[in-house]
Amino acid sequence: MSTQQAPLSKGRANLVLATLFLGMFVLGSAELLVVGVLKLIAADLRVSIPAAGTLVTAYAAGLAIGGPILTALAIKLDRRLVLVGSLLLFVVANAVAVLTTDYGLFLAARVGAGAFQGLFIAGAFAAGTAVVPPERRGRAMSVVFSGVAVSAALGVPLGTLVGQALGWRGSFVAIVVLSVIALIAALVVVPSVPSTGGGAGDQARHAFAPRVLAVLLLAVLVFGAVYSALTYIVPFLESVTGVSGALISAFLLAYGAATATGSFAGGRFADANAARTLVVGTTGAVAALLALYLVGALAFPVMLGLAALGLFVGGMAPSLQYRVVSLAGPGGSLAQSLPASAANVGVAFGSIAGGRAIETFTTSAAVLTGLVVAVIAAVVAWATGFLKPPMVEEAVNPSPEQPLTAIKP
């Protein structure tokens, strides 16, 4: 075990967190950028719209599966090296996407980019929580996670505008440039953060313990509930609420802005009581989805419902990360990558469940499906509140509630 050292000064720590936020923002924007330029890619590569849509699925699969695998392989490396290496490989993957005219190679590049993002996420959470005092670990997690939340609210729409003006390759060039800036910032700002704990096998034994899997299941259910409704929110707004055209963007922006706000604020709740935050967050999501279903025909209440949903889900995201790493104990280094994987599984599950509901019933059925899943999630959140970290093991290998690692400025 490495010798414990004091965290960085508040100013230096904030600079590190800002750098990690930037990296998460850029990578999060790249993840969903294809959605905004889907038709342009399909036309340029001469593939169908569904085939172009597979580029989104490929990225999610790379993140969900490749992220934990790469994290396990890099488990003993310095977190700074992990961050720099993952950003460098991410730049290469997106450069391949810009230069290729072959759909198969583009698809492979998207899988790789997703895996490298998963590796970066694990390194970012580990580095971010290592540079602050124990009582600010949840807030550090919220800053890192907020990069993804803000990318959904701002990065994707901006990338879509660039794509429409300069072509889809222009938007990907912007991603490459921003990734290089994030890479340089990481090299200059992020300190050495040596890895702690055992090898991949020992880490996996703790990271996949039943208590951790229970919270990962909760993450799947939470994001499954949200994306059962959110994936089909545009058809819902058009057919049920009676909103169309540019006004739809205002509703989506309300959700995105609320999610970003919740993720920033959620860190304080994670520091105070992460388990309780998950119960409150899932209960709030139930209430928001119920409101959407009951008042779907009224525009302003629907906008408030979407904002409430984003606020509660964004607010509980840092607590999901906090609980998973805390309950993993000595397996915390590997566990850093698992909530993102679980979230992507939830997104896939939710979009499929909502789609089946619409095919069988009406557009409102997608929201109702999300509501049912959210009720299950609330019960699971309550049950996981009784789970405790492995106290004996924590004394040797601390959880996020204790100093994680030595830091070398």
Side-chain angles (χ1 to χ4, degrees):
M1 185 177 68
S2 56
T3 305
Q4 302 299 324
Q5 295 183 11
L8 301 180
S9 67
K10 187 175 181 179
R12 178 75 188 282
N14 287 341
L15 190 58
V16 172
L17 292 174
T19 300
L20 299 176
F21 173 91
L22 172 63
M24 292 289 276
F25 173 80
V26 176
L27 273 60
S29 297
E31 179 178 3
L32 296 176
L33 181 60
V34 167
V35 175
V37 292
L38 197 64
K39 291 183 179 180
L40 298 175
I41 292 175
D44 187 35
L45 298 183
R46 298 179 180 179
V47 298
S48 66
I49 294 294
T54 304
L55 295 169
V56 178
T57 306
Y59 195 106
L63 196 158
I65 300 172
I69 292 175
L70 291 181
T71 300
L73 293 174
I75 204 72
K76 292 189 176 182
L77 297 180
D78 189 292
R79 300 299 93 185
R80 181 176 183 270
L81 179 60
V82 168
L83 292 171
V84 171
S86 58
L87 282 171
L88 179 60
L89 293 170
F90 187 81
V91 168
V92 172
N94 282 282
V96 169
V98 170
L99 298 173
T100 188
T101 57
D102 181 73
Y103 171 76
L105 184 57
F106 194 176
L107 195 67
R110 289 288 289 177
V111 173
F116 302 141
Q117 179 179 350
L119 179 60
F120 180 87
I121 288 172
F125 279 118
T129 53
V131 300
V132 298
E135 65 274 11
R136 294 186 64 230
R137 294 272 155 76
R139 276 164 281 187
M141 288 182 177
S142 73
V143 172
V144 175
F145 176 81
S146 294
V148 176
V150 174
S151 74
L154 297 178
V156 175
L158 291 175
T160 301
L161 289 175
V162 172
Q164 292 171 346
L166 303 177
W168 72 266
R169 294 182 193 274
S171 59
F172 272 83
V173 168
I175 290 294
V176 171
V177 172
L178 290 173
S179 299
V180 171
I181 293 173
L183 171 60
I184 295 172
L187 281 168
V188 174
V189 174
V190 178
S192 173
V193 183
S195 177
T196 58
D202 185 57
Q203 288 266 327
R205 182 167 61 89
H206 297 284
F208 293 100
R211 60 183 177 271
V212 180
L213 294 178
V215 180
L216 291 174
L217 172 62
L218 174 59
V220 171
L221 291 172
V222 167
F223 285 92
V226 172
Y227 279 87
S228 290
L230 197 63
T231 304
Y232 307 97
I233 198 64
V234 172
F236 178 86
L237 291 172
E238 291 175 337
S239 63
V240 179
T241 312
V243 175
S244 60
L247 192 56
I248 289 178
S249 298
F251 285 77
L252 299 179
L253 181 61
Y255 173 81
T259 303
T261 301
S263 65
F264 275 114
R268 292 184 178 274
F269 298 119
D271 284 326
N273 192 320
R276 183 176 60 200
T277 300
L278 294 178
V279 175
V280 173
T282 50
T283 304
V286 168
L289 287 167
L290 178 60
L292 285 177
Y293 182 72
L294 294 178
V295 300
L298 303 174
F300 186 65
V302 166
M303 181 177 286
L304 291 180
L306 281 172
L309 182 62
L311 197 64
F312 281 112
V313 173
M316 77 172 85
S319 289
L320 281 168
Q321 184 79 24
Y322 195 105
R323 284 288 281 167
V324 165
V325 178
S326 175
L327 291 171
S333 295
L334 177 58
Q336 298 278 10
S337 66
L338 299 180
S341 296
N344 276 272
V345 172
V347 170
F349 159 69
S351 62
I352 293 172
R356 293 291 175 83
I358 288 178
E359 289 175 355
T360 307
F361 302 103
T362 64
T363 306
S364 297
V367 175
L368 185 59
T369 300
L371 174 60
V372 172
V373 177
V375 170
I376 298 172
V379 175
V380 174
W382 173 80
T384 60
F386 297 98
L387 298 173
K388 302 295 182 184
M391 299 304 294
V392 174
E393 294 163 336
E394 283 183 329
V396 179
N397 295 283
S399 77
E401 291 147 352
Q402 302 170 6
L404 282 175
T405 184
I407 303 171
K408 297 177 183 178

